[in-house]
Amino acid sequence: MKKVKIVILILMSLLLIACGVDDKKDDMVTSDFLEEKKEDKILRVTEEEIITDINDEQKLFRTTLGEGTYAYVASNSGENVIEREIKVDLDNDGKKEEIYFGDDGDGIYFNYYNPIKDKIQFLLDNRGTENPETANYYFDNGWIRIEVSYQVTVLDLDNDGIKEIIFSAYDPTDFGLALHSFIWKEINGEYKYIGEIPGQFFMYFDKDRQNIIVPIGSQGLSSEYRIENNKIVEFSENEKKSSNIIQTTLDYNVYENNNYNYFLEYPTKNFKITSKRDDGIDLESSDSKASINCYITKNTSNDTIKSMYEDNIDFIGIEIPYKKLGEDFYVLSYIKNGYIEYAKVIYNKKNNTFIQLRFYYPEDYKEIMNPIIERMTKSLKY
């Protein structure tokens, strides 16, 4: 009888061990499945984001959006054969169009494929006669030039919900207008070439102003373009004056900080730089009544933009009539002892720093300072 009990106990133990192994197998399968799903999700999320491995300083066409879809091509291969592809939903119909650029045995090609219409549309080709005249300069008899860099970008430039296709080419051997961007827009179901924008080194899109900004020279000057009535037009002088009256009375320059990788425009007429540091600059008006400070605060205390915002309010200690807290910035504006103090603080996640722009001026300087504040805060790029 004891032997029977022992056998039964051994059998039960073996059965429990077997069940435990099966449970572990189930856990392993579940874990692998979840990990696989997680990886698959990451791929899906990143597929429509930036397709590049270059930093912002090398891009021909940049943006303040913080995201976008583009392919960058430096045609420096010995065989002079390159190819890049973008897959992105241009018109928000749930299907991704495919944009191709490169050259093959027949010369250059630049086209896009619409999966719903099952149709390929050629934008540039090796025949040359079908291309914008200026575009042919960047090709050698229908072939890609080794010394030229190319970039394909898709962005909604006129806020109509449909992305434009931008083809940019840069020839470093041309000391004049070395860069051109050619733009195609969706019109009546097809992409039509609507114009080009000349530049020198790079250009960028400012989503707040819906303008394409083209820096000119090294004195902080720039041209501005936008899409109006399906055409590329230069930003009108009348509109500039109505939206930014200081442009008619003040000159601007560009301050670049290589230590923390940011730059912004600053006024040079009626203002002078009183201090230039590793992290920023200080400016003062010619009558010493107004001052502007731009500097970096390292986030050594692991603050959030919200905690910085709240600490700043507590430090000021008075009623603040205008205050705004965003996802990665805050703005405070108040009057103290007859002077207006305006602060914009931005959190730079990449460097884990806070970029601080602070303005201090008498109340009767408001009309002069408002457009300066607007221009400087909007010009800040990092």
Side-chain angles (χ1 to χ4, degrees):
M1 190 68 179
K2 286 184 178 179
K3 289 182 178 180
V4 173
K5 287 183 178 178
I6 291 171
V7 170
I8 292 172
L9 287 171
I10 291 172
L11 289 173
M12 289 178 67
S13 298
L14 291 172
L15 182 61
L16 288 171
I17 291 171
C19 290
V21 170
D22 288 340
D23 287 343
K24 287 182 179 179
K25 285 182 179 179
D26 289 341
D27 289 343
M28 289 171 65
V29 171
T30 302
S31 177
D32 290 343
F33 176 75
L34 289 173
E35 188 65 26
E36 183 179 316
K37 284 292 182 183
K38 182 180 178 182
E39 292 298 320
D40 184 47
K41 181 179 180 183
I42 293 172
L43 289 173
R44 287 200 303 272
V45 168
T46 58
E47 183 177 350
E48 204 170 285
E49 293 180 348
I50 295 173
I51 308 171
T52 183
D53 58 357
I54 65 167
N55 62 49
D56 202 54
E57 293 297 314
Q58 294 174 278
K59 296 172 192 170
L60 306 178
F61 198 106
R62 307 171 188 178
T63 173
T64 57
L65 297 175
E67 61 181 326
T69 305
Y70 57 84
Y72 177 86
V73 177
S75 54
N76 54 9
S77 67
E79 296 77 22
N80 200 28
V81 176
I82 55 176
E83 180 173 325
R84 291 292 186 274
E85 175 183 334
I86 292 176
K87 291 184 178 180
V88 63
D89 188 356
L90 294 171
D91 52 6
N92 297 316
D93 62 358
K95 296 288 184 179
K96 293 180 181 178
E97 286 77 17
E98 299 170 6
I99 304 169
Y100 304 87
F101 172 71
D103 68 22
D104 57 15
D106 297 321
I108 67 159
Y109 62 90
F110 177 44
N111 53 46
Y112 95 107
Y113 171 72
N114 189 316
I116 292 180
K117 297 178 180 178
D118 191 22
K119 179 181 178 181
I120 289 180
Q121 184 179 340
F122 292 94
L123 305 177
L124 291 175
D125 60 50
N126 64 324
R127 286 171 291 181
T129 55
E130 305 294 324
N131 300 337
E133 184 176 348
T134 313
N136 290 327
Y137 167 82
Y138 295 98
F139 305 108
D140 184 13
N141 293 319
W143 294 88
I144 288 170
R145 287 169 50 192
I146 293 176
E147 66 271 23
V148 174
S149 296
Y150 306 92
Q151 183 176 317
V152 179
T153 314
V154 290
L155 287 172
D156 186 0
L157 299 173
D158 56 354
N159 202 29
D160 66 352
I162 300 177
K163 298 179 178 69
E164 280 67 54
I165 299 174
I166 306 156
F167 175 75
S168 303
Y170 173 68
D171 179 7
T173 66
D174 187 342
F175 295 101
L177 296 176
L179 170 67
H180 267 72
S181 288
F182 307 89
I183 301 178
W184 284 260
K185 179 173 174 56
E186 194 273 344
I187 302 172
N188 298 326
E190 284 199 345
Y191 272 86
K192 304 289 186 181
Y193 173 71
I194 61 170
E196 64 189 68
I197 299 176
Q200 290 182 319
F201 311 107
F202 70 93
M203 54 189 69
Y204 63 91
F205 176 61
D206 190 320
K207 70 169 184 176
D208 295 323
R209 296 155 70 179
Q210 294 295 132
N211 288 341
I212 298 165
I213 316 297
V214 183
I216 299 173
S218 58
Q219 302 301 314
L221 303 175
S222 64
S223 297
E224 301 183 28
Y225 298 82
R226 64 167 52 157
I227 295 180
E228 290 180 355
N229 300 320
N230 295 333
K231 293 182 181 179
I232 300 295
V233 297
E234 190 166 5
F235 196 38
S236 70
E237 288 298 323
N238 289 335
E239 199 162 357
K240 282 184 183 179
K241 290 175 185 177
S242 63
S243 64
N244 196 352
I245 58 174
I246 205 65
Q247 287 187 314
T248 61
T249 58
L250 289 181
D251 295 326
Y252 285 81
N253 208 337
V254 176
Y255 167 75
E256 296 185 54
N257 188 296
N258 295 321
N259 295 317
Y260 294 95
N261 296 318
Y262 73 91
F263 67 90
L264 80 164
E265 297 178 353
Y266 66 90
T268 57
K269 189 175 182 179
N270 299 331
F271 275 86
K272 61 182 178 180
I273 296 177
T274 57
S275 174
K276 188 177 285 188
R277 306 174 306 279
D278 289 341
D279 68 337
I281 57 172
D282 298 323
L283 298 138
E284 188 175 87
S285 62
S286 54
D287 60 4
S288 300
K289 290 185 177 181
S291 62
I292 304 170
N293 309 102
C294 179
Y295 58 95
I296 295 292
T297 303
K298 296 180 181 179
N299 191 17
T300 55
S301 303
N302 293 321
D303 288 315
T304 64
I305 194 68
K306 185 179 180 181
S307 65
M308 284 283 288
Y309 170 76
E310 293 171 344
D311 288 344
N312 203 165
I313 291 175
D314 290 340
F315 177 78
I316 293 167
I318 62 172
E319 182 64 28
I320 300 174
Y322 180 77
K323 50 190 174 184
K324 182 177 182 180
L325 176 63
E327 186 176 344
D328 61 354
F329 76 94
Y330 71 82
V331 174
L332 300 174
S333 183
Y334 56 95
I335 300 174
K336 190 173 184 179
N337 299 324
Y339 276 76
I340 296 175
E341 298 186 30
Y342 182 100
K344 182 167 186 178
V345 179
I346 303 169
Y347 176 60
N348 185 348
K349 184 178 181 181
K350 185 177 180 181
N351 294 335
N352 193 28
T353 57
F354 295 98
I355 306 173
Q356 304 211 32
L357 257 177
R358 295 184 177 271
F359 304 82
Y360 181 78
Y361 53 95
E363 289 185 68
D364 58 358
Y365 274 42
K366 188 175 181 180
E367 288 188 7
I368 296 174
M369 293 301 297
N370 279 354
I372 293 178
I373 292 170
E374 181 182 3
R375 181 157 178 169
M376 288 189 71
T377 54
K378 285 186 176 180
S379 71
L380 179 64
K381 304 292 182 296
Y382 59 93

